[in-house]
Amino acid sequence: MARICLHGYISGKVQGVYYRQSTEEQAERLDIDGWVRNLDDGRVELLIEGEEGAVRELEKWLARGPVKARVASVELQPMTPQGITGFIVRR
């Protein structure tokens, strides 16, 4: 499968509910590279890159998030793969 990259935003109750850390755990489990961070407006921003099947699986998880999250929307746009290695939670 091809390597793909998505960048986007998750809105809803996604801050203060372990969303970033859970995303990092899921990304590492799926061998996905990238980053995730909170924004001042209450959304979460992320960039994910990896094998298409794994990225699509994480994309489905992002719409649910961890137990306490209430995801209202996931807006992801394709990008050219960036060659990122590893996954980090940005502060």
Side-chain angles (χ1 to χ4, degrees), residues 26-77:
Q26 293 298 316
E28 289 176 352
R29 179 181 67 81
L30 294 166
D31 197 27
I32 291 174
D33 302 307
W35 52 265
V36 62
R37 68 178 173 182
N38 284 342
L39 297 176
D40 291 340
D41 64 6
R43 295 180 300 164
V44 167
E45 179 183 19
L46 72 141
L47 183 136
I48 53 177
E49 182 174 329
E51 292 300 317
E52 184 173 6
V55 170
R56 296 301 179 199
E57 187 174 335
L58 181 58
E59 184 178 14
K60 289 177 188 172
W61 180 88
L62 292 169
R64 292 187 317 271
V67 175
K68 293 183 179 182
R70 296 294 175 261
V71 178
S73 70
V74 177
E75 301 171 15
L76 298 174
Q77 298 296 320

Side-chain angles (χ1 to χ4, degrees), residues 10-23:
I10 296 90
S11 61
K13 184 180 177 187
V14 292
Q15 291 190 14
V17 294
Y18 201 63
Y19 197 93
R20 289 176 304 156
Q21 293 79 6
S22 295
T23 301

